[in-house]
Amino acid sequence: MQCFKFIKVMMFLFNLLIFLCGAALLAVGIWVSVDGTSFLKVFGSLSSSAMQFVNVGYFLIAAGAVLFILGFLGCYGAHSENKCVLMMFFSILLIIFIAEIAGAVVALVYTTLAEQFLTLLVVPAIEKDYGYQTDFTQVWNTTMEELHCCGFNNYTDFNASRFVKENKVFPPPCCANPGNHTVEPCTEEKAKSMKVQGCFKEILHRIRANAVTVGGVAVGVAAL
């Protein structure tokens, strides 16, 4: 009996957390929808084009609403021990789990396609806006410094950029050595010799490096 009460309390607390996370996502989604232009400034002048393909605000609202409803059903079902509500809760959870597996498969299959699509969007934006559009430049500088990467693919993304043509140098992260010590001035010759990884490939590398951890968490959630 004590074990049953413990499980009931844990289920209630777990779903309360889901409920609160859903409310938070819902709030962020509404905020992004109302004032989300700054969210996609990483695309520079192509932000409007990117928005046609990925509407982050609506996605967050949808995800938040699902988690909000899921958390409510879980909390109410655990508290009232209503079998109908609990069945609805587990049905939604099963659908989400299946969708996660399908999403992982699609992500693996279409990684190359996504890279090609993003290259068509991001590289022209780098060439046009890096060094001249404040928010865009700050986002890229922070990304390159934190991930120790250069450009989207590599330093060649800056070859035709206004920044390089006018300043005759590349961004400092493109000339960072393995110890993350920047060699300045960052000329094309130095950038080429340093062979700093592109940011997209670096992100993929980090995701794959942590795939075991992510998979373990997914299996834990599925078991729970």
Side-chain angles (χ1 to χ4, degrees), residues 105-140:
V105 172
V106 170
L108 288 172
V109 173
Y110 291 102
T111 297
T112 302
L113 182 62
E115 181 177 5
Q116 293 172 349
F117 170 72
L118 288 173
T119 298
L120 292 174
L121 283 176
V122 179
V123 174
I126 289 176
E127 294 175 351
K128 181 180 179 182
D129 296 327
Y130 183 84
Y132 297 89
Q133 214 275 353
T134 304
D135 294 320
F136 180 83
T137 304
Q138 288 178 347
V139 167
W140 270 104

Side-chain angles (χ1 to χ4, degrees), residues 200-222:
F200 182 79
K201 293 177 182 176
E202 182 62 28
I203 291 171
L204 284 182
H205 171 73
R206 296 197 178 199
I207 291 173
R208 287 164 181 163
N210 293 282
V212 175
T213 303
V214 174
V217 171
V219 170
V221 171

Side-chain angles (χ1 to χ4, degrees), residues 7-19 75 78:
I7 293 173
K8 181 178 176 180
V9 171
M10 289 301 296
M11 185 174 177
F12 179 83
L13 293 176
F14 175 74
N15 285 285
L16 179 61
L17 179 62
I18 292 178
F19 179 81
C75 288

Side-chain angles (χ1 to χ4, degrees), residues 19-36:
F19 179 81
L20 294 175
C21 288
L25 269 181
L26 200 57
V28 172
I30 293 172
W31 170 71
V32 171
S33 296
V34 173
D35 184 27

Side-chain angles (χ1 to χ4, degrees), residues 147 158 213 222:
L147 297 181
F158 293 95
T213 303

Side-chain angles (χ1 to χ4, degrees), residues 131-153:
Y132 297 89
Q133 214 275 353
T134 304
D135 294 320
F136 180 83
T137 304
Q138 288 178 347
V139 167
W140 270 104
N141 283 339
T142 301
T143 301
M144 291 190 292
E145 289 169 5
E146 293 296 325
L147 297 181
H148 310 309
C149 57
C150 173
F152 183 78
N153 298 298

